[in-house]
Amino acid sequence: MSNQNIQIEESWKEALTDEFAKPYFAELRQFLKKEKDAGKEIYPPGSLIFNAFNSTPFDNVRVIILGQDPYHGKGQAHGLSFSVPIGVKPPPSLVNIFKELKNEFPDFQIPNHGNLEKWAMQGVFLLNAFLTVEANQPASHQKSGWQEFTNAVIEKLSKEREGLIFLLWGSFAQQKAVLIDETKHTILKAPHPSPFSAHTGFFGSKHFSKTNEILKARGEEEIDWQI
């Protein structure tokens, strides 16, 4: 399959042309094909692997929320970090994200679903470091080549865009700070929103209101976090 068949939005396809041509990416595609041919169930479905990119074109990115693995339960992953499709129960980390939003914005209504597409449409790039996972096998694709690809994505955004806001939650995401030019962009760090760490500083971090304060100070439209 040629790079023309990669289901990714045109501005991203152009921005990442060099990555798609590299040997590691060919190996990554071979790995995924081999896994599927072996009958393994891979999440998210192929058409949604690049959902974050298709939902937020390169020039529309304003805020980046970096996740790690896609959810590994049936029907959960749909290519946006921390998000689940409508009809799927919000996982614990997402529940804590909603709790923090309620703390920051008293008018925020905790939704009965966990689909964050509305954020993506406003320029919140919901990127996972690894874009696929085997069913019920967390971290199963972490050595497949995805990290090289998503590191290149972060570096590309850092280099070619100005004034982006990176929300890095937890030690894994915070390791990506070295890829970001802090003279051009803002990095906000907090513990991960998982139940294991949310009480150590994610709650009270005020990342959502801080993001909007930065955007407002620049005269830019704030993010409507209500979904």
Side-chain angles (χ1 to χ4, degrees):
M1 188 163 70
S2 74
N3 290 339
Q4 295 306 311
N5 298 118
I6 294 171
Q7 298 177 40
I8 194 168
E9 189 271 336
E10 281 303 317
S11 66
W12 279 110
K13 186 178 279 191
E14 190 176 328
L16 299 170
T17 298
D18 292 349
E19 293 307 308
F20 293 137
K22 288 180 179 176
Y24 84 83
F25 200 82
E27 290 166 16
L28 168 58
R29 295 174 78 163
Q30 278 302 113
F31 166 78
L32 291 173
K33 184 178 186 304
K34 192 175 170 186
E35 294 288 284
K36 284 191 172 180
D37 289 349
K40 294 181 180 178
E41 196 162 359
I42 307 300
Y43 300 143
S47 61
L48 293 176
I49 288 172
F50 293 111
N51 194 16
F53 301 81
N54 297 334
S55 301
T56 314
F58 185 77
D59 289 329
N60 292 9
V61 175
R62 301 196 289 153
V63 179
I64 296 92
I65 298 180
L66 187 67
Q68 192 164 345
D69 250 5
Y71 294 123
H72 54 85
K74 189 172 182 64
Q76 289 182 308
H78 68 141
L80 303 176
S81 63
F82 294 100
S83 181
V84 289
I86 287 174
V88 176
K89 183 182 176 185
S93 292
L94 185 53
V95 169
N96 285 338
I97 287 170
F98 291 152
K99 284 180 184 174
E100 174 61 12
L101 278 160
K102 182 69 175 173
N103 290 339
E104 293 186 47
F105 305 102
D107 291 341
F108 181 82
Q109 300 291 316
I110 292 182
N112 60 4
H113 67 90
N115 189 324
L116 305 181
E117 285 175 351
K118 184 180 170 187
W119 294 4
M121 304 304 278
Q122 298 176 78
V124 181
F125 186 42
L126 297 166
L127 178 68
N128 277 319
F130 312 102
L131 300 189
T132 57
V133 69
E134 184 182 343
N136 307 314
Q137 300 290 328
S140 49
H141 289 185
Q142 289 195 8
K143 293 186 169 70
S144 63
W146 278 130
Q147 184 151 226
E148 191 169 346
F149 177 73
T150 55
N151 281 355
V153 168
I154 294 166
E155 288 180 309
K156 193 83 174 174
L157 284 167
S158 176
K159 185 178 176 185
E160 296 192 8
R161 296 291 314 280
E162 302 275 343
L164 300 177
I165 304 167
F166 290 83
L167 307 187
L168 305 182
W169 299 335
S171 58
F172 177 83
Q174 287 165 21
Q175 289 167 16
K176 305 296 182 182
V178 297
L179 306 171
I180 302 161
D181 182 349
E182 289 192 67
T183 66
K184 294 168 63 183
H185 307 287
T186 302
I187 297 176
L188 299 179
K189 296 179 182 178
H192 196 277
S194 100
F196 301 107
S197 54
H199 292 279
T200 65
F202 177 78
F203 290 139
S205 62
K206 299 195 182 306
H207 277 190
F208 302 103
S209 48
K210 285 176 181 175
T211 293
N212 277 354
E213 284 164 16
I214 292 165
L215 294 171
K216 187 177 181 181
R218 293 185 197 150
E220 294 180 29
E221 197 171 337
E222 296 172 54
I223 306 294
D224 177 5
W225 298 107
Q226 183 68 59
I227 61 166

